[in-house]
Amino acid sequence: MQNITNMRNHSIQSIMNARLSDQYNSKFDHIYELLKNDETLSFKKYLNFNSYDKSTVHYILNYYESIAIGIKYNELDEAIVKSMMRSQVIKTYNTFEDVIINMQEESPSFFENFVDLRNRWNLNKNPTTNIE
């Protein structure tokens, strides 16, 4: 029981530490500037980004990949993370889907854990109860 409590606390603390970090917030602010009013980022537009802009996209995708890996290896509690981040995971994937798909053509393992997590969580179910 203590291990479960520790994992849940670790999950919440990890997410909150990231969300409160200056780097996390500056990267997300920058991506909103790049997207402007667009809801998605095309691979074509991504290819025209400078190296800093591309690194911002990579930072965001790597953040979600690390969350997915933490869940996969039971370092993070999936139920807690899902209740805190489900809509963010799905929205972020949808925003960068074209970029992810094109990058996976070059290397199928790019962001595979993030994609798997999004696919699991993108069901039409209540995120808390997991019931349709």
Side-chain angles (χ1 to χ4, degrees), residues 48-98:
N48 290 318
F49 281 177
N50 63 40
S51 61
Y52 180 75
D53 295 344
K54 286 180 180 177
S55 76
T56 300
V57 172
H58 296 173
Y59 176 91
I60 291 167
L61 294 175
N62 283 324
Y63 171 75
Y64 285 99
E65 179 73 0
S66 68
I67 294 290
I69 290 169
I71 290 169
K72 180 178 181 178
Y73 292 103
N74 294 315
E75 291 296 321
L76 298 172
D77 182 274
E78 184 165 4
I80 296 268
V81 176
K82 185 176 183 180
S83 68
M84 292 177 75
M85 298 185 68
R86 179 180 180 268
S87 61
Q88 243 185 313
V89 165
I90 293 167
K91 183 177 186 225
T92 301
Y93 176 85
N94 291 344
T95 299
F96 297 105
E97 181 177 34
D98 193 43

Side-chain angles (χ1 to χ4, degrees), residues 13-25 59 63:
Q13 193 64 40
S14 296
I15 292 166
M16 293 311 296
N17 284 343
R19 286 186 178 173
L20 295 174
S21 80
D22 291 337
Q23 183 175 20
Y24 175 94
N25 287 307
Y59 176 91
Y63 171 75

Side-chain angles (χ1 to χ4, degrees), residues 43 98-110:
F43 189 62
D98 193 43
V99 174
I100 293 167
I101 288 169
N102 280 278
M103 292 177 88
Q104 286 184 327
E105 287 178 6
E106 181 181 323
S107 178
S109 64
F110 279 151

